[in-house]
Amino acid sequence: MAAFKITGGEPLAGCIEIQGSKNAALPILAAALLHRGVTILYGCPNILDVQYMIKIMRSLGCEIEQEISYLKIDASELNAEHLSRECLGKMRSSILLLGALIGRCGSLTLDYPGGCTIGSRPIDLHLNALKAMGVHIQEKEEQIVCSSNQICGKRIRLPYPSVGATENIIIAAVLAEGVTWIDNAAKEPEIIDLARFLNQMGSCIHGAGTDCIGILGKCSLHDIEYSIMGDRIVAGTYLLAAAGTRGNIEIKGVQIKELQALLHICEEMGCRVQNCGTSIVLDSKHRLFSVKDIHTQPFPGVATDLQSQLMSVLSTARGETTIYEHVFENRFQTAEELGRMGADIQIKNNRAVIRGVKKLKGCPVCAKDLRGGAALIIAGLMAEGDSIVENSIFVERGYQDICKDLKQLGANIKVINGD
Ligand code: EPU
């Protein structure tokens, strides 16, 4: 299996343009199925999860042209009966096909979604909302059998602002009869991007980015060209890699307001952060400071998708930091691997106490999930000597070419074939 080989010790330096966002692209791809016509997407990242989604969409009858600079989707003809099961269980976002296909096809059978093993990740909020909108759903051992004669707009209050459930409801509501309201909706920037995409396609969605979203169904949709937002988590990962290696980098293609919570932490750790309008510059010269407690939260709080990377960086900070993980119950798997590199991290329930050590030491470690893999790469860049991060496939699910990007910033990293 392929792995990353990293020789640590080089401060990152330079400028990088950030890839398109995975967590915006996946719902937008699913939403493209709503329109009996052509969608052209720019900035769609070429990552494993997008490849899985494209494979699924082709199995449904979509004609897809994939070029380096764009993705052209013709969803004029769809047949949910041809849905290939091969990739459904490999990714979380396959559940969004429910909202997209139920309105177009009237019935479909889906496998349970997969994705990183960072928690139990139930789909009850998705299913309850769609049931309330008139979708008949039968859960079998391995499959979800769905049908509906007519989806109806409803007022839905989410007990938790789930990103995926908010997206699924928005997508389903576009072809529903009447108005749908989502109360306690997720406010993540990727929700805003999905709504912007759908509105440009002709739908009528208000309030995305707030906790109350209204969607008027059955607006007529038309062909569009759309540019997907930059990936704030990839951007955050590279900023933290620069912070941890005492580097100085400039990132382009993301908006500072999407990274505010992380940038505050970077400043608290002693980094200098500059908003340069169209780019963000981070300068880290000295050993970092520990920070007061970090709590992962839905947006605008600290993103759970940056928690592992923060743990790597704080593992050599001066003093002690506690991270509380409030979103996914099993997202501290990387702590043990960091421990092999010399980090001092104690886990108790949803709390990680990180006591900063002077240095990490390079060694072979194993990625357990996507962001954890990125965190281990950061640790490898910070460490003395060589590290091997096995299971590079996890990282490829979300980072288009992390080796190329980090090399561009001066890192010593390459992909090797592991044992
Ligand atoms: N939850 C439920 N029931 C549901 C849905 C969610 O209990 O029906 C719980 C989850 O178990 C979790 C919490 O609610 O404890 C948050 O889940 P959410 O639905 O918000 O997350 P998601 O839609 O499954 C997306 C991203 C994740 C990111 C989270 C939180 C995509 C494809 N995935 O997941 O991204 O961590 O939102 O921001 O958009 C990643 O990119 O590495 C990643 C895991």
Side-chain angles (χ1 to χ4, degrees), residues 22-23 118 232-233 237 296 302-309 325 328 331 371 399:
K22 164 176 96 70
N23 291 346
I118 50 180
R232 65 192 169 102
I233 305 301
T237 302
T296 65
V302 179
T304 171
D305 293 347
L306 289 168
Q307 178 260 106
S308 306
Q309 300 91 313
E325 172 57 58
F328 290 110
R331 222 174 189 181
R371 306 303 172 189
Y399 296 80

Side-chain angles (χ1 to χ4, degrees), residues 89-301:
K90 290 186 178 158
M91 61 191 302
R92 179 73 182 167
S93 296
S94 59
I95 189 65
L96 301 179
L97 294 167
L98 207 176
L101 289 177
I102 198 67
R104 272 281 313 256
C105 304
S107 65
L108 81 149
T109 300
L110 277 177
D111 289 10
Y112 283 92
C116 285
T117 53
I118 50 180
S120 62
R121 307 191 81 176
I123 50 168
D124 55 322
L125 304 181
H126 300 243
L127 300 188
N128 290 343
L130 290 161
K131 280 180 192 165
M133 294 170 80
V135 182
H136 181 70
I137 297 177
Q138 237 186 316
E139 287 192 77
K140 304 221 164 138
E141 215 161 273
E142 285 180 358
Q143 292 190 309
I144 314 158
V145 183
C146 317
S147 61
S148 173
N149 293 332
Q150 179 57 64
I151 318 169
C152 302
K154 272 272 148 36
R155 181 143 216 148
I156 293 161
R157 182 171 179 85
L158 287 173
Y160 179 89
S162 154
V163 175
T166 303
E167 291 165 348
N168 227 342
I169 300 167
I170 292 176
I171 293 171
V174 168
L175 297 186
E177 193 71 61
V179 179
T180 300
W181 290 99
I182 312 172
D183 291 321
N184 199 24
K187 296 185 284 211
E188 269 64 6
E190 293 76 14
I191 304 278
I192 302 178
D193 212 38
L194 171 66
R196 195 182 295 132
F197 165 76
L198 284 166
N199 283 344
Q200 285 187 24
M201 196 189 243
S203 56
C204 188
I205 303 169
H206 287 280
T210 74
D211 56 10
C212 180
I213 302 177
I215 308 116
L216 171 64
K218 294 242 155 125
C219 297
S220 84
L221 304 180
H222 50 75
D223 292 356
I224 59 158
E225 297 187 19
Y226 188 77
S227 293
I228 293 170
M229 64 180 276
D231 196 310
R232 65 192 169 102
I233 305 301
V234 172
T237 302
Y238 295 167
L239 288 169
L240 285 171
T245 58
R246 303 187 191 181
N248 181 338
I249 67 165
E250 178 176 13
I251 57 164
K252 293 188 166 168
V254 286
Q255 294 194 35
I256 200 155
K257 62 175 188 249
E258 294 162 359
L259 281 161
Q260 217 57 268
L262 176 78
L263 295 174
H264 279 140
I265 295 175
C266 289
E267 283 177 331
E268 216 184 318
M269 290 192 297
C271 304
R272 196 162 153 250
V273 176
Q274 266 175 286
N275 177 3
C276 301
T278 55
S279 70
I280 304 167
V281 174
L282 181 138
D283 189 8
S284 162
K285 282 203 177 62
H286 311 285
R287 184 175 176 196
L288 299 176
F289 299 109
S290 56
V291 295
K292 61 177 187 293
D293 298 350
I294 295 175
H295 293 265
T296 65
Q297 297 288 358
F299 192 82

Side-chain angles (χ1 to χ4, degrees), residues 67-87:
E67 297 294 334
I68 291 174
S69 60
Y70 70 89
L71 191 69
K72 181 175 174 190
I73 302 154
D74 185 342
S76 303
E77 305 289 335
L78 289 188
N79 188 339
E81 282 172 20
H82 294 164
L83 179 65
S84 157
R85 297 177 61 186
E86 190 195 332
C87 299

